[in-house]
Amino acid sequence: MKSLVRGLAWVVVPVELVLVVCLLAGASLPADVLVGAEAVALVLLAVEGVGLALVYRRGGRAAVRDVVPEPVRRIVGHELRVLGSLALWVARRRHGVREGDLAFGHARDQASMLYGFVFVCMVETIGMAVLLRNWPAVHAVMLVVDVYTVILMLGIHAASVTRPHVLTEDALRVRQGAHRDLRIPLERIAAVRGERRFTHEAADGVIDLPVGSQTSLTLELTEPVTAVGFLGKRRPVTTVRLHADEPERLLSALRQARTAPSPSPAPPA
């Protein structure tokens, strides 16, 4: 079953890519060919979905992980988090913020840029609809791509709004929309300082989580924490640079949390 699922993935993706490339190149495909190819692709996708469901039923998530490469899982997971964030945004809810936690937003300084991208995408959608009005198949493909791009841009902003940094009793959860999620125990924070930076060079042991091309706080750690990249690459980091809408408030809360006395242990029964 696992071999079947892997094989179908190698068939479906190239078929869809060939169709899209042909349509975008202006190739005139007979309607029977186009409908037949799409029907085959949909059938193969359905079979692959059933295969993954059977693999999951027999071996759980571990079996699915053996079939689907980690980069693919992470890309799909990111897309689902982005789309799910739209629902949270509409419902005015936040992800991962429990009662007693302190939340610190980080979406404000990128909002205008993302809304600008959304506007440009909408204008481009209208323009392409006019230019491709005589090629219905190409127009349909581009319309789907453009609409999904608009949804994705809105979802990226929604993810930043609904997934703030979260300060709990024992850790700081640092996030960058749906892309990054890093938990830092408070006892590992050696120093925290306000530091606004607009340029970030790659360095060993340093992770930059800019928003709107800037970071406003820098954390120095006594011990490394593991940062997981977008495609699953893991590396230890001892310096974390992040951005917050209210960096002074987060800085004050962190300093207070780090100096607060630990709760006394309960007396023995």
Side-chain angles (χ1 to χ4, degrees):
M1 180 60 68
K2 294 181 180 180
S3 299
L4 175 62
V5 172
R6 289 195 188 99
L8 288 175
W10 284 106
V11 173
V12 174
V13 175
V15 167
E16 288 295 316
L17 287 177
V18 169
L19 283 175
V20 171
V21 170
C22 289
L23 291 173
L24 293 180
S28 179
L29 296 177
D32 294 342
V33 173
L34 183 61
V35 173
E38 284 297 325
V40 171
L42 289 174
V43 170
L44 292 176
L45 282 173
V47 173
E48 186 173 8
V50 173
L52 283 174
L54 292 175
V55 169
Y56 178 81
R57 184 175 181 181
R58 294 177 181 178
R61 293 185 178 180
V64 175
R65 284 196 294 268
D66 291 339
V67 174
V68 183
E70 184 177 8
V72 176
R73 297 199 309 270
R74 297 193 66 85
I75 291 173
V76 173
H78 175 265
E79 298 294 300
L80 293 176
R81 289 193 298 273
V82 166
L83 297 177
S85 296
L86 283 171
L88 291 175
W89 194 25
V90 172
R92 297 183 178 274
R93 297 178 59 186
R94 295 179 296 182
H95 177 273
V97 182
R98 300 172 299 181
E99 185 177 356
D101 294 343
L102 297 178
F104 302 88
H106 61 274
R108 185 176 60 196
D109 291 328
Q110 73 173 12
S112 58
M113 178 184 66
L114 286 176
Y115 285 142
F117 284 154
V118 170
F119 176 76
V120 170
C121 289
M122 293 177 66
V123 172
E124 189 262 350
T125 300
I126 297 172
M128 293 301 292
V130 174
L131 292 174
L132 300 175
R133 61 185 182 277
N134 295 325
W135 294 277
V138 181
H139 173 244
V141 172
M142 290 304 302
L143 181 62
V144 171
V145 172
D146 288 338
V147 170
Y148 185 74
T149 300
V150 171
I151 293 174
L152 189 62
M153 289 294 103
L154 290 174
I156 289 174
H157 179 61
S160 296
V161 172
T162 59
R163 296 170 180 268
H165 306 309
V166 181
L167 180 61
T168 65
E169 293 182 354
D170 59 351
L172 174 65
R173 188 175 182 180
V174 177
R175 298 195 277 193
Q176 187 185 39
H179 316 311
R180 296 274 192 169
D181 196 332
L182 182 64
R183 184 182 182 277
I184 306 173
L186 293 181
E187 64 268 16
R188 296 193 186 185
I189 301 178
V192 53
R193 63 182 181 274
E195 183 183 35
R196 193 170 294 276
R197 298 172 65 101
F198 293 91
T199 59
H200 305 88
E201 298 180 359
D204 291 339
V206 179
I207 183 172
D208 298 307
L209 304 175
V211 175
S213 301
Q214 64 177 311
T215 55
S216 52
L217 289 174
T218 298
L219 308 180
E220 301 289 348
L221 310 183
T222 58
E223 299 179 33
V225 296
T226 301
V228 183
F230 182 73
L231 296 180
K233 182 179 179 180
R234 292 164 172 78
R235 65 187 182 97
V237 296
T238 54
T239 300
V240 180
R241 300 190 184 112
L242 63 139
H243 182 66
D245 294 339
E246 300 175 296
E248 297 83 3
R249 177 170 165 260
L250 177 53
L251 178 62
S252 176
L254 271 175
R255 287 175 173 171
Q256 183 177 355
R258 291 174 57 238
T259 57
S262 303
S264 302

